[in-house]
Amino acid sequence: QVQLVESGGGLVQAGGSLRLSCTASGRSISSCFMGWFRQAPGKRHEFVAAVTWDGVSTYYTEPAAGRFTISRDNAKNTVYLQMNSLQPEDTATYYCAAGDDRLVPPTKSDKTWYHYWGQGTQVTVSS
C-alpha cells in the first residue's frame, strides 16, 4: 500500500507561485509513474502533469505547459509540482496519484491507470 500526502497549497494572488509536494509512505514510489490532477468546484478531475519513475520524461496538459513543472526526488519519496504564473482558473484541489511500476500509461490523463491517490491540497488564486 502507498499513502500519499500532498502539501504546499494555499492562497496566492494571480501571477504568484506555489510549490506542491506529494510525499509517499508505506513503500517506495521510486519506480512508479506519478501524476498530478486537480478538481475545481463543480468540475471533473483534470489531468495536470505526470512524470516517469526516473524523472526523465514529463507530460503536461496544455494549460499547465510552460507554467508548471513536475519533478521528483526519489531519495525523499516525494514528487513536486512547481506552479508559476498562477491564474484564478487554476483554483482547485490538487491531487497526486501513483501509477504502475515502470509503466507509462497510454493515456496519462486516464485516472484508471493510477492506483493510489492523496487527499488533496487546496490551491486558491485570487484576482
Side-chain angles (χ1 to χ4, degrees):
Q1 288 286 342
V2 176
Q3 292 81 44
L4 302 173
V5 178
E6 302 94 338
S7 62
L11 174 64
V12 64
Q13 289 188 330
S17 299
L18 283 174
R19 188 195 196 201
L20 306 184
S21 298
C22 170
T23 300
S25 62
R27 57 153 280 192
S28 171
I29 58 168
S30 62
S31 59
C32 292
F33 188 87
M34 297 295 296
W36 283 96
F37 288 74
R38 67 186 182 186
Q39 186 173 27
K43 295 188 176 181
R44 299 171 63 182
H45 268 88
E46 176 187 23
F47 170 75
V48 177
V51 61
T52 52
W53 46 93
D54 54 7
V56 172
S57 297
T58 56
Y59 310 86
Y60 298 94
T61 190
E62 187 174 338
R67 299 188 300 130
F68 295 2
T69 302
I70 188 170
S71 62
R72 65 193 299 160
D73 185 340
N74 286 337
K76 296 183 177 179
N77 228 23
T78 299
V79 178
Y80 304 98
L81 185 67
Q82 176 68 42
M83 305 187 296
N84 299 328
S85 302
L86 284 162
Q87 300 301 316
E89 52 265 35
D90 294 316
T91 295
T93 300
Y94 284 71
Y95 301 88
C96 70
D100 289 301
D101 289 351
R102 303 188 184 280
L103 175 66
V104 178
T107 305
K108 285 72 174 176
S109 60
D110 186 346
K111 293 172 56 180
T112 62
W113 288 97
Y114 300 86
H115 310 304
Y116 302 100
W117 293 79
Q119 294 300 306
T121 185
Q122 178 66 38
V123 171
T124 303
V125 185
S126 63
S127 57

